[in-house]
Amino acid sequence: MATLDDPVSVGGVEFRNRLYRAPLLECAGNGPDAVDRLVDELTPAAESGVGCIHQGATLVRGEGGCAAPNMTRVHDPAFVGSLGALTDAVHDQGGHIFVQLEEGGLRSMETWHAQYRDRHPDLEQLAVSRPPWQLRLLDRAGFIDLTPRVLATDEVYDLARDFGRAAERAVEAGYDGVHLAGANMGIIQQFLSPFYNRRDDEFADGVRFLELVHDEIRDRVGGVPLVTKVPAETAAPPTVRRHLSLADGVAVASRLADAGFDGLVPVECSVVWDMSLVRGAFPDRAWAAEDMQADYRAAFGGRLRARAVATLNWLQAQRFRREPGWNARFCRRVRERLHAEGHGDVAIFCEGGVRTREQCDRLLGDGPARQAADLVGMGRPFYAEPRLGARLLAGEDALCRSCNNCTVPQAAGADGRCRTPSIVRERGKLAAAGAYETDENSAE
Ligand SMILES: Cc1cc2nc3c(=O)[nH]c(=O)nc-3n(C[C@H](O)[C@H](O)[C@H](O)COP(=O)(O)O)c2cc1C
């Protein structure tokens, strides 16, 4: 029976254990301090013993497609080369690091961030097809601002090539693997989802796009592990009849295993970026934070709109209450199908609401509930405790209570950090007591 401490191999690369830091946007951008910020944010996890770190989504192109404030772009070889300082810092601590690649498509900031739209009036969003009527309605009502450009067939090939080029640059900079942002409403999910994809060319089959991206990456960087998130749109609102069911998600995963992906991250989500991805409490404190009000007004287009988003946020928090390990059932279904089809070597990564060491071992163990995953990840808990690995690997539980006080400020461009005083205090006490030290650190 596997436990969190056991090593695991993904695409031929051996991680020291089965704990990974799930991707969280760093908002580090590409400025002169970008690399230092990434080192500061990601290295503590490696120091604390985490097996693999998945950097937050980075953009494959130099323009457009930016889904959230200040995302890092990986189009420029000189900049990506400088990320060697990050990969070296992680490797020096015995960890591994994957780059995550993304293009935002209709989720790009100019559609939902009012101030960004004002500053970039001419930006168009890459679209798989004409946007669905629900989004067109929101556009007409003034809640979002769509200027889509539907990709011609040859442009889809160009985009896949850009994913390949970005992967090649990242691997040259020392990244150990490539993770595709296949969910969270990025363009990959838009290809996969019947909500978005109404094409009549070969890419009407959305998996075809991922197969093409796979081939573009493999042609350039051969044996480097390749992982993608796989969505099942089970949290889609009732007005959305065309969406990926759980069975569809499992079928997509099966085809991706056939295509040669080394790892899959099954996630139950909606057709848009919403709280189904970050289930937990309504972040009262975050919405009320005095220092964030101007940012919220800028992002959501004024006081009234910000209030409307907060109300929607509250409603969603009622619908998606804190659910420990909510992706376990999807992971288990995918894992069973892949094993039955002879793809037992494809690693399943499970994340989403996992907070205790016991949950981790149960997801990895071969007990009565049947093994769900080969690796277990956490996202928000690393904001609360950047050196969380040390405590989890010592058998303890994460402090994070999924209160989401980190989430809304981060969507408006603030640093990713825990803003809940009781948790910050508790972390301070634990740090003072040496709870985040590992054998390696204390030997120094
Ligand atoms: C602020 C924030 C940013 C995120 N950024 C990304 C991202 O860049 N790429 C991605 O695939 N998932 C992203 N996620 C989703 C996380 O990887 C993870 O799936 C989610 O937070 C659930 O895990 P948790 O309950 O352990 O936080 C983000 C989540 C949060 C809260």
Side-chain angles (χ1 to χ4, degrees):
M1 244 172 51
T3 77
L4 201 62
D5 305 300
D6 294 330
V8 63
S9 172
V10 178
V13 171
E14 176 140 318
F15 302 155
R16 57 185 159 181
N17 56 53
R18 290 165 185 253
L19 174 64
Y20 70 95
R21 186 192 196 272
L24 296 170
L25 290 171
E26 296 88 12
C27 301
N30 286 72
D33 64 344
V35 178
D36 289 343
R37 286 183 59 178
L38 289 166
V39 170
D40 289 348
E41 181 147 348
L42 299 172
T43 320
E47 285 166 359
S48 74
V50 170
C52 187
I53 290 155
H54 294 245
Q55 189 174 329
T58 62
L59 299 165
V60 299
R61 286 189 166 169
E63 282 190 344
C66 183
N70 220 13
M71 284 176 73
T72 299
R73 295 182 184 273
V74 289
H75 66 294
D76 170 24
F79 174 79
V80 181
S82 69
L83 290 170
L86 169 64
T87 57
D88 284 349
V90 170
H91 294 153
D92 286 349
Q93 299 298 329
H96 288 87
I97 181 164
F98 279 30
V99 70
Q100 194 189 47
L101 301 180
E102 151 123 299
E103 212 291 334
L106 295 178
R107 192 198 144 183
S108 298
M109 266 178 87
E110 63 276 12
T111 65
W112 63 269
H113 193 293
Q115 189 179 65
Y116 188 83
R117 166 53 89 189
D118 287 347
R119 289 182 182 160
H120 301 89
D122 301 327
L123 273 183
E124 295 178 316
Q125 305 85 53
L126 301 186
V128 171
S129 306
R130 184 180 183 223
W133 67 261
Q134 291 91 335
L135 296 191
R136 296 202 310 270
L137 200 68
L138 288 174
D139 179 37
R140 272 203 295 279
F143 280 104
I144 59 173
D145 192 352
L146 288 171
T147 42
R149 192 166 61 78
V150 177
L151 289 159
T153 304
D154 58 333
E155 291 175 320
V156 179
Y157 278 89
D158 290 343
L159 181 59
R161 228 166 277 134
D162 285 338
F163 273 90
R165 292 189 186 110
E168 184 174 21
R169 284 188 285 272
V171 170
E172 277 168 13
Y175 284 91
D176 302 292
V178 178
H179 180 166
L180 302 177
N184 300 16
M185 198 188 159
I187 202 147
I188 295 177
Q189 182 178 349
Q190 292 165 40
F191 269 101
L192 293 173
S193 173
F195 180 63
Y196 296 99
N197 191 335
R198 317 270 169 126
R199 295 181 71 91
D200 54 13
D201 63 359
E202 64 192 282
F203 298 107
D205 168 10
V207 180
R208 187 59 207 111
F209 179 64
L210 266 171
E211 289 167 348
L212 187 63
V213 171
H214 168 278
D215 294 347
E216 288 289 343
I217 295 176
R218 284 278 185 251
D219 283 353
R220 291 176 166 82
V221 289
V224 164
L226 182 52
V227 171
T228 183
K229 282 198 172 174
V230 182
E233 297 167 335
T234 49
T239 51
V240 174
R241 273 180 293 142
R242 293 172 59 116
H243 62 265
L244 291 168
S245 66
L246 201 70
D248 293 334
V250 175
V252 168
S254 161
R255 286 189 53 197
L256 295 175
D258 285 342
F261 278 84
D262 301 298
L264 301 174
V265 191
V267 287
E268 290 198 47
C269 55
S270 181
V271 290
V272 291
W273 200 108
D274 68 7
M275 282 195 72
S276 62
L277 291 162
V278 287
R279 301 177 197 213
F282 173 69
D284 219 345
R285 176 182 292 278
W287 279 106
E290 281 302 320
D291 61 325
M292 291 305 305
Q293 296 309 314
D295 293 311
Y296 294 161
R297 286 195 295 275
F300 305 119
R303 199 180 301 273
L304 275 180
R305 294 263 185 82
R307 245 187 231 148
V309 178
T311 307
L312 188 66
N313 195 203
W314 182 83
L315 287 169
Q316 288 211 323
Q318 306 312 306
R319 183 169 171 218
F320 305 114
R321 288 178 182 280
R322 180 171 180 262
E323 294 175 43
W326 68 79
N327 288 313
R329 92 173 158 157
F330 186 22
C331 289
R332 195 170 282 120
R333 288 267 301 268
V334 168
R335 195 168 181 281
E336 282 175 357
R337 168 88 170 254
L338 298 196
H339 276 250
E341 292 175 345
H343 286 307
D345 55 337
V346 176
I348 304 301
F349 294 68
C350 184
E351 66 197 37
V354 183
R355 297 292 178 265
T356 70
R357 173 62 197 247
E358 195 252 331
Q359 287 162 2
C360 295
D361 288 335
R362 197 152 18 94
L363 290 165
L364 296 168
D366 205 6
R370 306 189 313 283
Q371 184 173 357
D374 302 289
L375 298 98
V376 181
M378 296 188 196
R380 289 165 289 176
F382 279 94
Y383 282 158
E385 300 172 85
R387 298 175 58 91
L388 173 60
R391 291 206 315 108
L392 281 171
L393 293 163
E396 292 161 34
D397 302 337
L399 294 176
C400 174
R401 293 289 166 266
S402 310
C403 70
N404 275 324
N405 282 329
C406 56
T407 311
V408 192
Q410 218 257 5
D415 283 354
R417 64 183 166 85
C418 179
R419 290 163 177 262
T420 302
S422 58
I423 303 264
V424 174
R425 268 197 307 275
E426 188 58 28
R427 177 183 65 208
K429 281 190 211 152
L430 286 166
Y436 298 108
E437 277 167 27
T438 59
D439 291 346
E440 287 78 32
N441 304 136
S442 43
E444 277 168 14

